[in-house]
Amino acid sequence: IHTYIKTAIQNFLNERGLTLTTKITTLKQEKLKFLGYEFVYKIFWGGEDKNIFQINTNNNIILMIPQKEKLKEITKILKTIFHKNTHLSAAEIILKVNPIIQKWSAYFSLGQSYNCRQHLKRYLYLLSWNWARKKHQRWGKRKIAHYYFLKNNSKIKNRKWTFRGFFNYKSRDVHKSQKVLYLIVPTNIRQTYNPNWIKIPKN
């Protein structure tokens, strides 16, 4: 059947001046990398993994995971921004990186991407903490933690240990006011792919 399908596709493309440059295989034989994701066939046995994928079944599954290369790419970009901009304020740094985090996390919100976004979340914490230590070399850890991460009354999830910056401005009505800007939390991006969809029916 694979040969028939491949021939049909080749004939369809040949009529349009195109050629087929791919091959037909199965996920049992090798992983598939496509549009930044990696598709992996797995014999699912339950156990601890079922807490990760939230599936209470012994069916075989196909995992959809962000490629490691894509995670390395964004961490390298974010690292460069934090390391080269200690002269900026925290709010200015956040303005630079939030659109990048938002775009990346939204795209990689499919499949089993939570662990990957969790890794990015931890990496962002280290970047922001090291940025603050480098910027305020005379500050102690406690002062940095309270100024940039703690003392927060926000009811928004995961805000207490989230990097933040302040915009200070003056006006006729208010002598001094502050506007708080938070770093986006990658794991707070809503996952748009139901894990139950990856189950392969036994029949």
Side-chain angles (χ1 to χ4, degrees):
I1 187 170
H2 289 172
T3 302
Y4 174 79
I5 294 173
K6 188 173 182 179
T7 301
I9 295 175
Q10 285 177 333
N11 293 337
F12 176 84
L13 294 175
N14 289 340
E15 293 177 359
R16 291 156 179 80
L18 303 173
T19 57
L20 184 65
T21 58
T22 187
K23 63 179 179 180
I24 298 177
T25 184
T26 67
L27 291 178
K28 288 184 179 181
Q29 296 174 328
E30 58 183 304
K31 300 176 183 178
L32 169 66
K33 292 186 177 182
F34 184 66
L35 297 178
Y37 280 93
E38 189 172 80
F39 295 82
V40 184
Y41 174 86
K42 181 177 179 182
I43 298 177
F44 189 80
W45 296 104
E48 295 182 357
D49 284 350
K50 72 181 180 182
N51 295 324
I52 297 176
F53 305 115
Q54 301 176 352
I55 301 174
N56 296 317
T57 178
N58 288 325
N59 286 24
N60 297 342
I61 58 177
I62 296 176
L63 306 183
M64 186 177 176
I65 308 170
Q67 294 177 19
K68 292 181 180 180
E69 294 84 354
K70 299 302 178 181
L71 180 60
K72 290 180 180 179
E73 285 177 9
I74 188 173
T75 54
K76 185 177 181 180
I77 292 171
L78 294 173
K79 181 179 179 180
T80 299
I81 294 175
F82 274 92
H83 283 199
K84 291 187 176 182
N85 291 286
T86 52
H87 62 287
L88 298 180
S89 68
E92 291 170 323
I93 286 287
I94 293 171
L95 281 175
K96 282 180 173 290
V97 301
N98 265 1
I100 299 172
I101 301 170
Q102 174 71 35
K103 183 178 179 180
W104 191 93
S105 299
Y107 183 83
F108 289 106
S109 63
L110 304 175
Q112 289 63 53
S113 62
Y114 182 84
N115 288 345
C116 191
R117 287 183 285 121
Q118 178 69 22
H119 177 87
L120 181 60
K121 175 186 173 181
R122 290 193 294 267
Y123 188 73
L124 281 167
Y125 168 75
L126 292 176
L127 285 177
S128 55
W129 180 265
N130 290 334
W131 174 89
R133 289 291 303 274
K134 188 175 181 180
K135 186 176 181 66
H136 306 285
Q137 296 181 14
R138 295 184 179 181
W139 286 18
K141 293 181 179 180
R142 182 174 295 181
K143 186 173 182 179
I144 290 175
H146 280 268
Y147 186 80
Y148 287 112
F149 297 93
L150 301 178
K151 284 189 176 180
N152 171 56
N153 296 321
S154 174
K155 296 181 180 180
I156 302 177
K157 183 181 178 181
N158 293 340
R159 283 300 195 210
K160 186 175 182 180
W161 272 98
T162 302
F163 185 57
R164 67 174 183 260
F166 303 96
F167 283 112
N168 295 328
Y169 62 92
K170 295 181 179 180
S171 67
R172 295 180 180 179
D173 300 325
V174 182
H175 175 65
K176 186 177 181 180
S177 183
Q178 290 183 317
K179 182 179 180 181
V180 184
L181 188 63
Y182 289 96
L183 190 70
I184 289 178
V185 180
T187 53
N188 282 359
I189 303 296
R190 185 176 180 181
Q191 191 152 324
T192 56
Y193 190 86
N194 191 326
N196 286 305
W197 294 352
I198 65 177
K199 291 187 296 184
I200 302 176
K202 292 181 179 180
N203 59 354

